[in-house]
Amino acid sequence: MTGKKVLIIDDEAPIREMIAVALEMAGYEYMEAENSQQAHEMIVDHRPDLVLVDWMMPGGSGVELTRRLKKDPTTAEIPVIMLTAKSEEDNKIQGLEVGADDYITKPFSPRELVARLKAVLRRATPQGVDAPIEVEGLLLDPISQRVSIGTTPIEMGPTEYRLLKFLMTHQERAYSRAQLLDQVWGGNVYVEERTVDVHIRRLRKAIGDSHDFLIQTVRGTGYRFSAKRTA
């Protein structure tokens, strides 16, 4: 598996199924949505690595959804590939102008789709994002989604893992509980801000006394990840 998750948005089930098979064979995880409203909720909740969206859909076009995603700072960096039967140059320009990263005209072969998808992901993924992160002997591997200290594997729940990954990839910056909820849980998940405190405690317990100093409480703000020990 590549570890990358793709959201397929198309109102035609056979198209979604064809794309899903191609993605699965290429080692990608996938989710499916049949309209823009459902798709937007899934994007906010699950943060896919890439969105494949059909141009024409009932209840809101792919162009409108792409424009909405690119205007929102929390989703603007998610790459979008538009799928459409429209091949006219003006339509391609319109799709790209609202922020689409690529444009594939139907009918297309599964091999072409996967190749274009890989190319967009390569451009969108900063160098080293999938590389293991190590701080003070605490190692997080984004590809295998494993955490260890030295040779000892660390067991933790999926929420604690996502929380640790976000903090380790955004070191030395203080985040409020609301910001962590948006980034780790997703903007459409309605939970109390104090839920963050519960998962921070679980995360500290999982990594143990030798490394819990890395996850620091910032009074009046929230939390930060830092190797600099506080007084």
Side-chain angles (χ1 to χ4, degrees), residues 10-136:
D10 198 302
D11 60 308
E12 297 183 46
I15 298 290
R16 295 199 307 271
E17 184 177 355
M18 181 271 287
I19 294 171
V21 170
L23 292 176
E24 193 169 29
M25 290 180 66
Y28 292 92
E29 298 178 39
Y30 65 88
M31 304 179 294
E32 298 181 38
E34 60 183 5
N35 58 58
S36 291
Q37 181 179 350
Q38 181 188 22
H40 189 262
E41 291 174 359
M42 294 177 75
I43 290 165
V44 172
D45 287 346
H46 300 287
R47 302 298 170 117
D49 296 290
L50 184 140
V51 171
L52 291 170
V53 58
D54 187 38
W55 177 291
M56 295 295 293
M57 290 184 295
S61 72
V63 171
E64 291 166 355
L65 176 62
T66 301
R67 183 184 290 113
R68 182 179 181 184
L69 294 177
K70 296 300 182 179
K71 283 187 175 180
D72 185 341
T74 64
T75 56
E77 293 183 6
I78 299 174
V80 176
I81 297 179
M82 299 203 72
L83 308 173
T84 179
K86 296 175 178 288
S87 59
E88 294 85 352
E89 186 177 357
D90 286 350
N91 295 133
K92 292 182 180 180
I93 291 171
Q94 184 182 355
L96 295 172
E97 281 183 343
V98 298
D101 296 85
D102 201 356
Y103 189 109
I104 303 179
T105 304
K106 298 176 183 178
F108 52 82
S109 72
R111 287 182 63 188
E112 178 193 7
L113 173 68
V114 170
R116 301 276 282 275
L117 181 147
K118 286 180 178 178
V120 169
L121 282 172
R122 278 197 301 271
R123 295 198 300 269
T125 304
Q127 192 73 20
V129 159
D130 286 334
I133 310 160
E134 184 173 6
V135 179
E136 297 283 322

Side-chain angles (χ1 to χ4, degrees), residues 133-139 147-149 164 167-168 170-173 200 203-204 207-218 223-230:
I133 310 160
E134 184 173 6
V135 179
E136 297 283 322
L138 177 66
L139 178 70
V147 180
S148 60
I149 296 175
L164 180 62
L167 290 171
M168 288 185 77
H170 298 80
Q171 296 180 37
E172 302 297 340
R173 176 174 173 181
I200 287 286
L203 180 54
R204 285 171 169 161
I207 63 178
D209 294 342
S210 62
H211 288 79
D212 63 359
F213 75 92
L214 294 168
I215 300 167
Q216 300 170 1
T217 301
V218 182
Y223 299 97
R224 70 166 167 251
F225 188 97
S226 175
K228 300 174 183 175
R229 294 179 184 265
T230 56

Side-chain angles (χ1 to χ4, degrees), residues 149-223:
I149 296 175
T151 58
T152 304
I154 304 299
E155 296 296 327
M156 64 181 64
T159 301
E160 285 74 43
Y161 173 83
R162 292 197 304 272
L163 184 57
L164 180 62
K165 181 182 178 183
F166 178 77
L167 290 171
M168 288 185 77
T169 52
H170 298 80
Q171 296 180 37
E172 302 297 340
R173 176 174 173 181
Y175 287 92
S176 68
R177 293 171 178 85
Q179 288 173 321
L180 290 172
L181 283 175
D182 283 345
Q183 295 294 332
V184 178
W185 278 259
N188 277 343
V189 179
Y190 299 105
V191 293
E192 294 286 335
E193 288 190 5
R194 292 295 171 182
T195 300
V196 176
D197 299 337
V198 173
H199 288 280
I200 287 286
R201 285 198 298 272
R202 291 178 183 172
L203 180 54
R204 285 171 169 161
K205 184 177 179 180
I207 63 178
D209 294 342
S210 62
H211 288 79
D212 63 359
F213 75 92
L214 294 168
I215 300 167
Q216 300 170 1
T217 301
V218 182
R219 293 189 183 277
T221 303
Y223 299 97

